[in-house]
Amino acid sequence: MRNIFVIGAGRSSGALIQYLLDHAEMLDAQVIVGDQSLALAEGKIGAHPRGKAIAFNIFDDTQRQEQIRKADIVLSLLPADMHFVAAKDCLTFGKNLVTASYVSKEMASLHEEVHQAGLLFLNEIGVDPGIDHMSAMEVIHRIQNGSGELTGFWSYCGGLIAPECNNLWGYKFTWAPRNVILAGQATAIFLEDDRIRYRNYMRLFSEITEIEVPGHGKFEAYANRDSIKYLPLYGLEGIKTLFRGTLRFPGYCRLWNAFLKLGLTDDSVKMQNSEGMTRNDFIFSFAPSSGGVNNRDTLAQFLGEPSTGEVMEKITQLDFFSDRKIMLQNATPAQVLQSILEEYWVLGEDDKDLLVMQHRFDFRQNGKSIRIISSMVDKGHDTTITAMARTVGLPMAIATKLILQGKITATGVVIPTLPQIYEPVLAELHELGIRFTEQQFEISESK
Amino acid sequence: MRNIFVIGAGRSSGALIQYLLDHAEMLDAQVIVGDQSLALAEGKIGAHPRGKAIAFNIFDDTQRQEQIRKADIVLSLLPADMHFVAAKDCLTFGKNLVTASYVSKEMASLHEEVHQAGLLFLNEIGVDPGIDHMSAMEVIHRIQNGSGELTGFWSYCGGLIAPECNNLWGYKFTWAPRNVILAGQATAIFLEDDRIRYRNYMRLFSEITEIEVPGHGKFEAYANRDSIKYLPLYGLEGIKTLFRGTLRFPGYCRLWNAFLKLGLTDDSVKMQNSEGMTRNDFIFSFAPSSGGVNNRDTLAQFLGEPSTGEVMEKITQLDFFSDRKIMLQNATPAQVLQSILEEYWVLGEDDKDLLVMQHRFDFRQNGKSIRIISSMVDKGHDTTITAMARTVGLPMAIATKLILQGKITATGVVIPTLPQIYEPVLAELHELGIRFTEQQFEISESK
C-alpha cells in the first residue's frame, strides 16, 4: 500500500485531505496527516479507514526523517520558509514533493540534483501561485500554437467573500490578516506599453484598475508585487504589457488608501502608551496639524473625502471615534489597525468565501487584434471547504494523484507551466467545479 | 607638554583643528591629527610647529591603543558607529573623549564605568546635536529659573547655502548626499497640543511649517525624526507641544514631494537595465498609467503641478527629459536621483554655506503668555572653514580646551545640557561670531 504524507492540517488543508481520502482506495494508498496539533490532524481525517493522524514536529529530525523515509510522496502545507528542511530529506530518501509555495532560492538550488535523481519537486501548484500559472499557460500556448503574437497580458486574483455574506467594508479575512494589513509595502513593478514601471506603496491603492467578471459585476485591482518575473516564466519576452493585480470589491482601495495616507498601516514605529489609548486617540495621532482643532471634519478634509461620505462612514463604523481602549502594548499602527479590523472583518459561521481570477490576453493573429478574457469564480461550501481551501488544495491533490499514477513524468524543481501538468489538472478541476469561462472578441487597434 | 589626539581630518575638521592649533601654545599642547589619508591630515596641520599629522587606521588595535595611551584627550570625528572602539580604549587608559555624535546605546552603557573612573565622555557637542542642545537649554533654564512654565518648544536647523550662492533648486549638498536623498524615510514623531503625533514619510514634505528668521527671510521646515526623546533630555515633561524640524529654502519641499510621490527616492528596488536608460526613460518609469500617453503634461497632472509651473521647470532643468544616459548599473531610483542631483547641487569653489538654527519657546509667566524666538545664522568663510565645519567643530574644540583647563568637571557619558558646559561654550562661540539673537513678545491666548 502506498503512503501519502501530508505535512500540515491547517486552514487550507480541508479540501486537499478530503480529495486524497476519497481517492485513497483507487490509489491503494494510506493518507498520513501530520500536524503539531494532533487534534487538528484527527479532525481532518475523521474516521476514514485509510486516514491516519499523527502529532508531527518538522524540527524533530528523527521523526521527520522516519516519516519521509516511509512515504511514497510528501505534500508540504508548511509556511514557505519551512519546506526546505523537508525537501532535503525527500532528496536523501528519493521521494517526490508537492507544495503550493513560490520556489525559493534554496529550493531552486536543488533542481539539478532532484533532476539527476529522477525525482519531481512540484511547487506553486495552489491557486496563486498555481491555478493562475496553469490557466494562463493553457491560453498562452493555444495562442502561440495558432501563430498568435501576444501584445499584452493582465492577470488578476483575489480571495474575497461571497457577495451575500459581504459587509460594509467589502472584505473579510480569508487569509492571514497581517499579510492583508501589510500588503503592497514593497514597490510594485510591471510592464506597460513597452516600459518597466515602478509604483511605490504610497501610490498603490490610488492608482487602480477596474475590471468586470461576467455574472459577478465589477472589481478593482491594485498592482501585485513584481510582474516582470513572469516574462521568462511564461515565455512572454517581447510582450508590451504584463500586469498582475490583486482584486477587491469596489470601494475597498479608496478606504485602504485613507488608512495608508494617515499612516495606520505603518509597521515601522511603536506607539507609546498604545495600551492606554482610546480608538479616538489612536486615529487622531495621525491627524494633520490644524491649529489645535481635530475632529472628523479636519480628518475628512485631510483625506480629501466628504465628511459624510462613504469612506468617513466606513471609518466611523469601525468605532474609530469611540472611547474604547486599544489594549495592545507597544503596538505599531499596523498592529492596532489589525486588532480593530479583526473585530469586524472575521468570517462568520455561515459565511462563504469567494475566489476570483481573471486573465486578459491581447494578441494579433491573421492581421486581427483579438482579446480573450478568461474568468473563474469559486465559492466556498462552508468554513472548512472554503474556496481558498479548494483552490489551494485541489490542484495539489490532483497533481499528487497524477504523479502516483505516473501520468506526470517531469523531473527536477518544477512549476506547473508544462502542458503535461496543467492539462490534466485543469481538466479535473473543471469536473470539480473550478471552471474558467472565456470571452473572445476582436478589438479595434486604438484600444 | 599635553597631547590632543584628533581622529579624522575630513570635511568638518577644518575649523576644529585650526582652533586647537591657535590655542596650542596657551594650552601647552601638541595637536596630533590622525587620518587614513596622511595627505588629508597634513593639509589640515600645514606647517604649524605644534601640529603633527599621522596616517592612522582605527581598526589597527596596536596603533590605536598606542596613540590613545599617549594622549591627554581624544576627539573622534569618525562616523558615529566607529566611536565605540576608541571609547573603550579611552576607558582602559583613563582618557577623556569628545564627539559630535548622538550617544549610541553602546556608548550610553559605559556611563557608570566612565563616571567611576572620574572621566568625561562628552558627546553631541557639534551643531545638531550640539549647539541646538546648548542654546535651547540656556533659554529653557532661564525661563524655568524665572518661574516660567513652558507650554511649547519648536526647534529648527538646516545646513544650507548662502543666498548669493544659491541655485534654482534652493539647495546644494553641504553634507553626505545620500543622507539628503534618503532623509525622512522613518516615521516622524512629535508632540502637538498634548498629543503624540505620527507623520509617515509620504506626508513629510507636504505638511510643512513656514518660519521667518529676522534678516534672513522665510524658510520651510519638515518634521525631523523623533522629537519625543527630547522631553526627558531637556526636562520638558508636561509641555504641550514639542517639535523639531529640518529647514530648507522655500520651494524645496514642494519639489522634493514631487520626487517622493513619483518614487524617485525609493531605495528598496533595483532598476533593471538602469545603465542603459536615458534620464527620460528613468522619469517615465514612474509615470502613471495614462492610456499610452506619457509626456510632461501627464506627469505634471499626476503631480498636481501646472505644466509650466515652478516644479516642472525645476525638474526640466535637471535634464530629466533628455536622452542622456544614466550610466549606473542595477541602481535604485534613489541612487539614480542622487547621481543626477550631484551634477547640479555641488558646492562651487567660491560657494559659501549657511547654517540656520531657530528655537521658539512659548511659556506662561506672571499670568502672561510670552514667546521667545532665538535665531542663529552662520555663513561659511570658504570651502574649508564652512559654516558646517565651524558649527560642528568649534563647540568640540572649545569644550576640549575647557576640559584641559579643568573648567568642565562633569564625569560620565554626558551631553551638553549642563550649565557648566553650555555657558562657557556659548560665550566663546559668541566671540567667534556664532551668535543667537532673541526676540521676546507677549502673545494673545488664542495664538
Side-chain angles (χ1 to χ4, degrees), chain A residues 28-69:
Chain A
D28 189 24
Q30 189 185 28
V31 181
I32 318 286
V33 176
D35 196 284
Q36 277 191 296
S37 158
L38 178 60
L40 202 58
E42 285 174 339
K44 293 297 190 317
I45 290 294
H48 199 286
R50 285 183 177 265
K52 184 181 167 196
I54 62 171
F56 180 78
N57 175 3
I58 185 72
F59 298 114
D60 177 338
D61 294 345
T62 309
Q63 187 193 24
R64 187 185 66 245
Q65 288 168 10
E66 186 193 330
Q67 291 299 331
I68 291 178
R69 196 170 36 74

Side-chain angles (χ1 to χ4, degrees), chain B residues 296-297 300 305-314 316:
Chain B
R296 274 186 45 160
D297 290 347
E305 293 288 350
S307 278
T308 56
E310 199 184 292
V311 165
M312 290 308 294
E313 179 60 18
K314 286 174 178 173
T316 305

Side-chain angles (χ1 to χ4, degrees), chain A residues 187 192-193 195 197-200 203 207 261-263 266 271-272 284-287 289 292 294 302, chain B residues 187 192-193 195 197-200 203 207 228 261-263 266 271-272 284-286 289 292 294 302:
Chain A
T187 301
E192 187 179 273
D193 301 330
R195 199 190 286 283
R197 307 280 188 149
Y198 300 82
R199 187 172 286 168
N200 65 16
R203 297 169 54 175
E207 295 178 53
K261 198 171 168 189
L262 282 168
D266 185 352
M271 301 182 79
Q272 289 189 26
F284 282 109
S285 298
F286 305 93
S289 296
N294 279 142
F302 168 73
Chain B
T187 302
E192 188 179 273
D193 301 330
R195 199 190 286 282
R197 307 281 188 147
Y198 300 83
R199 187 173 287 168
N200 64 16
R203 298 169 53 175
E207 296 177 53
I228 300 299
K261 199 172 167 188
L262 283 168
D266 185 352
M271 302 183 79
Q272 289 189 25
F284 282 110
S285 299
F286 305 93
S289 296
N294 278 141
F302 168 73

